[in-house]
Amino acid sequence: GAVVSQHPSWVICKSGTSVKIECRSLDFQATTMFWYRQFPKQSLMLMATSNEGSKATYEQGVEKDKFLINHASLTLSTLTVTSAHPEDSSFYICSADGYYGYTFGSGTRLTVV
Amino acid sequence: QKEVEQDPGPLSVPEGAIVSLNCTYSNSAFQYFMWYRQYSRKGPELLMYTYSSGNKEDGRFTAQVDKSSKYISLFIRDSQPSDSATYLCATANQAGTALIFGKGTTLSVSS
């Protein structure tokens, strides 16, 4: 079956620093990857869609300069939260679309202090 | 109106009960319908996938899609404590496009 590995699973950082989250498809090539954010007791909200080798498409209201997405290969996409602030604390989840359909990573819990 | 509406619950049932989870959606262009299970602090896990209208059964789980009423359901038979989780419905209008999720229903099955 399809596996998407997401790292780190949790991270605590100081306000003003940057954090990088990796999403890897381990046994398939993902032409498209999606990044979601989930607040407690809320649904997954799409942040951006990334295609290998091209710029990500961001949803309305998501700051592209704050949430940098790089999809450099068919198996790796990264989300960098730049100059993080406490309001960026959330659960970030990636999803890869490949031969097996949509497969989700295990999520990254970001806490900004 | 949100594109996908789902009652967040919580829903509490005794072990062995039949559970019915439901979502409604507004966009008639949606063709792909999924149910995901999410445990606390984990990524969603695909349970059921349906294309267009109809029923699909997999073990204790049955998914139904009624496109005429824009209504999707997940039934869990003989519910178990291990079924306790948040269940999310999701839709898409084309393969390869981002999924749109409902809010999720939190289910608790007591032994």
Side-chain angles (χ1 to χ4, degrees), chain A residues 48-70:
Chain A
T49 301
S50 73
N51 292 293
E52 184 263 340
S54 60
K55 290 185 178 180
T57 302
Y58 290 82
E59 294 300 297
Q60 191 174 10
V62 177
E63 300 174 60
K64 62 180 180 181
D65 294 330
K66 181 171 187 60
F67 298 99
L68 301 179
I69 292 172
N70 184 283

Side-chain angles (χ1 to χ4, degrees), chain A residues 32 34 36 38 41-44 46 49 91 93 97 102 104-107 109, chain B residues 34 36 38 41-44 88 92 94-99 101-104:
Chain A
T32 306
F34 307 95
Y36 294 85
Q38 186 178 34
K41 299 190 185 301
Q42 298 294 316
S43 188
L44 281 75
L46 179 67
T49 301
F91 192 56
I93 307 173
D97 178 42
Y102 302 93
F104 284 82
S106 55
R109 182 159 301 281
Chain B
M34 294 147 199
Y36 285 85
Q38 186 179 26
R41 300 178 182 238
K42 298 291 184 184
L88 298 146
Q94 294 180 42
T97 59
L99 295 176
F101 284 87
K103 206 172 186 178

Side-chain angles (χ1 to χ4, degrees), chain A residues 1 4 6 11 13 16 20 22 26 36 42 45-46 48 56-57 69 80 82-83 85 90 94 99-100 102-103 111-112:
Chain A
V4 171
Q6 186 173 343
V11 58
C13 70
K20 180 185 281 190
E22 286 191 354
L26 298 185
Y36 294 85
Q42 298 294 316
M45 298 301 297
L46 179 67
T57 302
I69 292 172
T80 302
T82 63
S83 187
H85 291 283
S90 188
C94 68
Y99 180 80
Y100 299 100
Y102 302 93
T103 304
T111 302
V112 185

